[in-house]
Amino acid sequence: MNLGFGVVGTGAIGQEHMKRITRKLTGADIVAVTDVNQELAGNIVKELNLNASVHKDDTELINDPNVKAVLVTSWGPAHEGTVLKAIEAGKFVFVEKPLATTSEGCERIVTAEQEQGKRLVQVGFMRRYDSGYLQMKEAIDNNFIGEPLMVRCSHRNPEVGERYTTDMAILDTLIHEIDTLHWLVGDDYKSIQVTYPKKSSRALEHLKDPQIVTFETKSGIIMHAEIFVNCQFGYDIQCEVIGEEGVVKLPEVPSVGYRKDGVRGYKILQDWQHRFNDAFNNEFQDFIDSINQKGEPQGPSSWDGYIASVTGDAGVRAQTSEQVEVIELPDRPDFYKKTKLEESSL
Ligand code: NAP
């Protein structure tokens, strides 16, 4: 039987995910929706020609017996409440990042899920499903480059609007690297520091851009991450892991090469939707298949959402102090420990 999704928040990414679930993927249907703007939710149901109930709020949607999994794509501050209600009702949850907007909120979710006794929650850290990162992880896990020693990466966006603030560079942009980098090398973070190079004249007055973030992991790996959200030229994600015996590098996204007007070149993507479209499809297909076949999700867990939040908080402190900030992480509970086989089968 198909997995019935109830969608909470039918805005930009909610609509994208509804389209991928109904048009691209197999094994699931959208059976219910809700949004603070109920008219919007109703219109999307009509537009996508869905056989789905429109509920007045998340509580009513979670109590709908046809809803087996709740897709949380409302705005960040509403995530915690919906996720906790869904866990209490024993329903599966796919929640877009952030899991919750505070680490205390993430901890409440982690506790509630453990009390329920089985994994119910997956967090939308889709980079773990990107084929380039997966190839890098496989090489690192197979000791192809020996012990990882250093990581260099960049997260560049062409430009951002007025509402984008300096802390969002950590909490909205770097959050994806925060999740991906420790997973990639199989280590935990120990500390974080933020430094500010010369400011780009293209950045608005209130925004510090670019920023360089330095992580140190428990085993001593140093990771440099550049965040540059007004780089002008495109959406550009780079990552390179340097090991004792070699280097692995995130592949460039293939694009048509051209020769024109005396130039030989390649187009650069302009947005994250195109860059990670396949990864989004893969993460949802894995969520659906894991639940349908194994009875629980196996992707990034609420513990991963919690780690990202604690690390993000330390990053925001480091933005102000400009000092090395210690990242205090409790040990991963057995409940959230994964075997290598489970990780590599993502
Ligand atoms: P959005 O376009 O503003 O959509 C959010 C929708 O949820 C809006 O329709 C909003 O209504 C509604 N909403 C807010 N609170 C609600 C509640 N309590 N119950 C039901 N509906 C509620 O935002 P978005 O860009 O889609 O982002 C949604 C989430 O996805 C955010 O957490 C964001 O960080 C995450 N995201 C993740 C990625 C990724 O790379 N994985 C990319 C983009 C976004 P109003 O507009 O009327 O408030």
Side-chain angles (χ1 to χ4, degrees), residues 1-7 28-33 51-53 55 60-70 91:
M1 208 174 82
N2 276 3
L3 183 69
F5 270 104
V7 183
D29 299 307
I30 308 290
V31 296
V33 298
N51 183 14
S53 323
H55 288 291
E60 193 179 278
L61 177 136
I62 289 164
N63 289 333
D64 181 334
N66 293 321
V67 172
K68 303 290 180 228
V70 182
K91 305 240 164 150

Side-chain angles (χ1 to χ4, degrees), residues 188-262:
D188 285 323
Y189 299 121
K190 190 168 89 182
S191 68
I192 185 167
Q193 184 175 22
V194 179
T195 47
Y196 302 105
K198 180 173 174 175
K199 180 178 159 160
S200 165
S201 64
R202 304 299 182 118
L204 293 171
E205 203 176 326
H206 68 269
L207 179 64
K208 291 185 172 168
D209 185 49
Q211 302 180 30
I212 294 176
V213 177
T214 305
F215 297 98
E216 184 176 356
T217 68
K218 286 189 175 151
S219 78
I221 303 171
I222 300 284
M223 302 167 157
H224 288 295
E226 166 203 318
I227 315 165
F228 187 13
V229 293
N230 288 283
C231 80
Q232 310 296 304
F233 63 82
Y235 182 72
D236 187 31
I237 301 298
Q238 304 282 336
C239 185
E240 187 177 49
V241 179
I242 300 104
E244 288 173 332
E245 292 162 22
V247 174
V248 276
K249 194 170 178 350
L250 191 65
E252 291 284 347
V253 178
S255 80
V256 170
Y258 67 86
R259 287 168 161 80
K260 191 173 156 123
D261 299 334

